[in-house]
Amino acid sequence: MGFGSYDESEQQEVDADFDDDDAVKSDENSHEGTIEFENGASSDELLDRLKEIKDEG
């Protein structure tokens, strides 16, 4: 069988019998809040750099 070939006989049917207790609860680790960081550049410097980047392209 070549690379990328598809053969239905290689596929298995999975009989999944899961309880809800075993499932991952996606909202279990949700967090609310904010994040702030300092990059050392002023807004004007960042806007100037953005303009330079756009002009290069």
Side-chain angles (χ1 to χ4, degrees):
M1 175 111 350
F3 179 76
S5 297
Y6 179 79
D7 184 2
E8 289 184 25
S9 67
E10 294 177 1
Q11 303 301 314
Q12 298 177 7
E13 212 174 295
V14 178
D15 183 19
D17 185 23
F18 296 110
D19 293 329
D20 285 340
D21 295 336
D22 295 333
V24 174
K25 294 169 182 50
S26 61
D27 62 347
E28 187 173 273
N29 295 314
S30 63
H31 301 280
E32 292 183 21
T34 61
I35 185 169
E36 295 180 23
F37 63 94
E38 286 288 326
N39 62 9
S42 71
S43 295
D44 288 337
E45 291 171 321
L46 294 173
L47 289 171
D48 289 342
R49 180 63 185 130
L50 178 60
K51 184 178 183 306
E52 289 173 14
I53 291 170
K54 286 184 174 183
D55 290 343
E56 289 173 3

